[in-house]
Amino acid sequence: KLLHAAQVRSGDVVLDLGCGRGYSTAVIAALASAVVAVETDDTLAEDATTLLTDLGIDNAAVVTADLIEGVPHQGPYDVIFINGAVEQVPTALFDQLRVGGRLVCIFENDADDHGGHGRVYTKAGDERGETVGYMDVFDAQVPVLEGFRKAEAFVF
């Protein structure tokens, strides 16, 4: 559902965060022009690279890096696909999104008793500046990715 909501097109450059063993990267590579996949775990990144090589996918590459930093030097991206839930999206990821681009994730709001929501953020902009808006497209419940938790704040 999340990939469908991203509306990946044939000319898109996609950042796939938390790619695991590479399944999402392989699927996205069939839809997009190029995919940069990011995984924090070296073993999973190696598994993903092996899968992509075995399948003959040559428009995707796997990088071992911190998910919340993305891969800025390969951007800007038309789509940023986050494989897991987030309580916040780092500004660094929105900075890597092209104007007109979409960032998709499962957004968890701990103040919301209804769980998570499949969310599509869209970046708009012109000569006056850039803004990011969002739309929730379905309900979902998945684990929050490491690094995407909101910092705990003092509460009375």
mmCIF file of all heavy atoms in Angstrom, residues 3 12 25 36 49 54-55 58 61 68 73 79 91 101 105 113 116 119 124-125 128 132:
data_model
loop_
_atom_site.group_PDB
_atom_site.id
_atom_site.type_symbol
_atom_site.label_atom_id
_atom_site.label_comp_id
_atom_site.label_asym_id
_atom_site.label_seq_id
_atom_site.Cartn_x
_atom_site.Cartn_y
_atom_site.Cartn_z
ATOM 1 N N LEU A 3 3.957 1.596 -1.145
ATOM 2 C CA LEU A 3 4.598 1.762 -2.448
ATOM 3 C C LEU A 3 3.596 2.287 -3.474
ATOM 4 O O LEU A 3 3.926 3.158 -4.283
ATOM 5 C CB LEU A 3 5.197 0.429 -2.907
ATOM 6 C CG LEU A 3 6.028 0.478 -4.181
ATOM 7 C CD1 LEU A 3 7.154 1.497 -4.074
ATOM 8 C CD2 LEU A 3 6.582 -0.897 -4.482
ATOM 9 N N ASP A 12 11.789 8.229 -12.120
ATOM 10 C CA ASP A 12 12.099 8.650 -10.750
ATOM 11 C C ASP A 12 13.403 8.074 -10.219
ATOM 12 O O ASP A 12 13.768 6.937 -10.514
ATOM 13 C CB ASP A 12 10.980 8.229 -9.782
ATOM 14 C CG ASP A 12 9.723 9.065 -9.918
ATOM 15 O OD1 ASP A 12 9.767 10.126 -10.570
ATOM 16 O OD2 ASP A 12 8.686 8.651 -9.355
ATOM 17 N N THR A 25 13.855 -2.819 -2.524
ATOM 18 C CA THR A 25 14.721 -2.210 -3.537
ATOM 19 C C THR A 25 14.499 -2.867 -4.898
ATOM 20 O O THR A 25 14.416 -2.180 -5.923
ATOM 21 C CB THR A 25 16.198 -2.336 -3.118
ATOM 22 O OG1 THR A 25 16.358 -1.789 -1.808
ATOM 23 C CG2 THR A 25 17.102 -1.597 -4.087
ATOM 24 N N VAL A 36 18.674 4.191 -4.737
ATOM 25 C CA VAL A 36 19.752 4.162 -3.758
ATOM 26 C C VAL A 36 19.132 3.586 -2.496
ATOM 27 O O VAL A 36 18.221 4.177 -1.923
ATOM 28 C CB VAL A 36 20.333 5.568 -3.492
ATOM 29 C CG1 VAL A 36 21.411 5.502 -2.415
ATOM 30 C CG2 VAL A 36 20.871 6.187 -4.775
ATOM 31 N N THR A 49 22.682 -6.571 -1.629
ATOM 32 C CA THR A 49 23.537 -6.443 -2.816
ATOM 33 C C THR A 49 23.580 -7.756 -3.581
ATOM 34 O O THR A 49 23.479 -7.778 -4.818
ATOM 35 C CB THR A 49 24.955 -5.995 -2.408
ATOM 36 O OG1 THR A 49 24.861 -4.715 -1.778
ATOM 37 C CG2 THR A 49 25.871 -5.898 -3.618
ATOM 38 N N ASP A 54 22.091 -11.127 -8.143
ATOM 39 C CA ASP A 54 21.530 -12.398 -8.618
ATOM 40 C C ASP A 54 20.338 -12.191 -9.544
ATOM 41 O O ASP A 54 20.121 -12.984 -10.464
ATOM 42 C CB ASP A 54 21.115 -13.286 -7.440
ATOM 43 C CG ASP A 54 22.302 -13.838 -6.662
ATOM 44 O OD1 ASP A 54 23.458 -13.693 -7.125
ATOM 45 O OD2 ASP A 54 22.066 -14.393 -5.562
ATOM 46 N N LEU A 55 19.555 -11.147 -9.286
ATOM 47 C CA LEU A 55 18.385 -10.850 -10.119
ATOM 48 C C LEU A 55 18.736 -10.042 -11.373
ATOM 49 O O LEU A 55 17.863 -9.756 -12.192
ATOM 50 C CB LEU A 55 17.330 -10.097 -9.295
ATOM 51 C CG LEU A 55 16.674 -10.894 -8.175
ATOM 52 C CD1 LEU A 55 15.759 -9.991 -7.340
ATOM 53 C CD2 LEU A 55 15.882 -12.071 -8.739
ATOM 54 N N ASP A 58 20.479 -3.740 -12.318
ATOM 55 C CA ASP A 58 21.652 -2.877 -12.422
ATOM 56 C C ASP A 58 21.345 -1.390 -12.222
ATOM 57 O O ASP A 58 22.222 -0.551 -12.391
ATOM 58 C CB ASP A 58 22.349 -3.094 -13.758
ATOM 59 C CG ASP A 58 21.460 -2.788 -14.955
ATOM 60 O OD1 ASP A 58 20.298 -2.367 -14.763
ATOM 61 O OD2 ASP A 58 21.937 -2.961 -16.088
ATOM 62 N N ALA A 61 21.669 0.438 -6.085
ATOM 63 C CA ALA A 61 22.891 0.232 -5.305
ATOM 64 C C ALA A 61 22.541 0.311 -3.833
ATOM 65 O O ALA A 61 21.676 1.091 -3.431
ATOM 66 C CB ALA A 61 23.925 1.293 -5.650
ATOM 67 N N ILE A 68 18.672 7.999 9.094
ATOM 68 C CA ILE A 68 18.138 9.353 9.255
ATOM 69 C C ILE A 68 18.942 10.398 8.484
ATOM 70 O O ILE A 68 18.474 11.512 8.287
ATOM 71 C CB ILE A 68 18.018 9.759 10.736
ATOM 72 C CG1 ILE A 68 19.377 9.816 11.423
ATOM 73 C CG2 ILE A 68 17.070 8.838 11.468
ATOM 74 C CD1 ILE A 68 19.329 10.399 12.819
ATOM 75 N N HIS A 73 24.441 13.202 -1.199
ATOM 76 C CA HIS A 73 25.221 13.457 -2.413
ATOM 77 C C HIS A 73 24.667 12.753 -3.648
ATOM 78 O O HIS A 73 25.081 13.045 -4.763
ATOM 79 C CB HIS A 73 26.701 13.086 -2.193
ATOM 80 C CG HIS A 73 26.938 11.632 -1.945
ATOM 81 N ND1 HIS A 73 26.773 11.057 -0.704
ATOM 82 C CD2 HIS A 73 27.314 10.639 -2.782
ATOM 83 C CE1 HIS A 73 27.050 9.771 -0.784
ATOM 84 N NE2 HIS A 73 27.373 9.490 -2.034
ATOM 85 N N VAL A 79 11.424 10.312 -4.948
ATOM 86 C CA VAL A 79 10.693 9.571 -3.923
ATOM 87 C C VAL A 79 11.674 9.130 -2.846
ATOM 88 O O VAL A 79 12.762 8.645 -3.155
ATOM 89 C CB VAL A 79 9.983 8.322 -4.498
ATOM 90 C CG1 VAL A 79 9.322 7.502 -3.387
ATOM 91 C CG2 VAL A 79 8.950 8.711 -5.552
ATOM 92 N N THR A 91 14.655 16.686 9.129
ATOM 93 C CA THR A 91 14.724 17.737 8.110
ATOM 94 C C THR A 91 15.703 17.367 7.006
ATOM 95 O O THR A 91 15.480 17.693 5.837
ATOM 96 C CB THR A 91 15.144 19.074 8.763
ATOM 97 O OG1 THR A 91 14.201 19.375 9.795
ATOM 98 C CG2 THR A 91 15.156 20.205 7.757
ATOM 99 N N GLY A 101 8.528 16.136 -5.226
ATOM 100 C CA GLY A 101 8.809 14.776 -4.780
ATOM 101 C C GLY A 101 7.936 14.345 -3.623
ATOM 102 O O GLY A 101 7.293 15.160 -2.965
ATOM 103 N N CYS A 105 5.942 7.019 4.320
ATOM 104 C CA CYS A 105 6.311 6.295 5.534
ATOM 105 C C CYS A 105 5.045 5.936 6.298
ATOM 106 O O CYS A 105 3.950 6.357 5.939
ATOM 107 C CB CYS A 105 7.213 7.159 6.422
ATOM 108 S SG CYS A 105 6.414 8.672 7.002
ATOM 109 N N ASP A 113 -4.370 7.500 19.656
ATOM 110 C CA ASP A 113 -4.658 6.134 20.088
ATOM 111 C C ASP A 113 -4.976 5.201 18.927
ATOM 112 O O ASP A 113 -5.160 4.010 19.132
ATOM 113 C CB ASP A 113 -5.836 6.136 21.074
ATOM 114 C CG ASP A 113 -5.472 6.798 22.394
ATOM 115 O OD1 ASP A 113 -4.277 6.819 22.732
ATOM 116 O OD2 ASP A 113 -6.390 7.284 23.071
ATOM 117 N N GLY A 116 -0.687 3.978 13.726
ATOM 118 C CA GLY A 116 0.020 4.680 12.668
ATOM 119 C C GLY A 116 -0.830 4.906 11.438
ATOM 120 O O GLY A 116 -1.924 4.353 11.288
ATOM 121 N N ARG A 119 1.532 7.651 5.326
ATOM 122 C CA ARG A 119 1.541 9.093 5.071
ATOM 123 C C ARG A 119 2.387 9.413 3.848
ATOM 124 O O ARG A 119 3.472 8.873 3.673
ATOM 125 C CB ARG A 119 2.102 9.816 6.298
ATOM 126 C CG ARG A 119 2.105 11.331 6.175
ATOM 127 C CD ARG A 119 2.427 11.990 7.492
ATOM 128 N NE ARG A 119 1.244 11.960 8.357
ATOM 129 C CZ ARG A 119 1.189 12.545 9.556
ATOM 130 N NH1 ARG A 119 2.231 13.167 10.051
ATOM 131 N NH2 ARG A 119 0.062 12.483 10.267
ATOM 132 N N ALA A 124 6.567 21.108 -2.141
ATOM 133 C CA ALA A 124 6.181 22.112 -3.131
ATOM 134 C C ALA A 124 7.121 23.292 -2.999
ATOM 135 O O ALA A 124 7.716 23.507 -1.939
ATOM 136 C CB ALA A 124 4.737 22.550 -2.907
ATOM 137 N N GLY A 125 7.248 24.049 -4.048
ATOM 138 C CA GLY A 125 8.118 25.210 -3.948
ATOM 139 C C GLY A 125 8.122 26.048 -5.205
ATOM 140 O O GLY A 125 7.732 25.600 -6.280
ATOM 141 N N ARG A 128 9.556 31.784 -4.047
ATOM 142 C CA ARG A 128 9.327 32.316 -2.699
ATOM 143 C C ARG A 128 9.768 31.353 -1.604
ATOM 144 O O ARG A 128 9.826 31.707 -0.442
ATOM 145 C CB ARG A 128 7.864 32.678 -2.511
ATOM 146 C CG ARG A 128 7.424 33.851 -3.394
ATOM 147 C CD ARG A 128 5.957 34.074 -3.306
ATOM 148 N NE ARG A 128 5.342 33.010 -4.139
ATOM 149 C CZ ARG A 128 4.117 32.573 -4.014
ATOM 150 N NH1 ARG A 128 3.327 33.052 -3.087
ATOM 151 N NH2 ARG A 128 3.642 31.636 -4.801
ATOM 152 N N VAL A 132 6.468 21.663 2.793
ATOM 153 C CA VAL A 132 6.143 20.247 2.731
ATOM 154 C C VAL A 132 4.786 20.058 3.386
ATOM 155 O O VAL A 132 4.564 20.488 4.513
ATOM 156 C CB VAL A 132 7.207 19.395 3.452
ATOM 157 C CG1 VAL A 132 6.805 17.924 3.444
ATOM 158 C CG2 VAL A 132 8.579 19.579 2.803
#
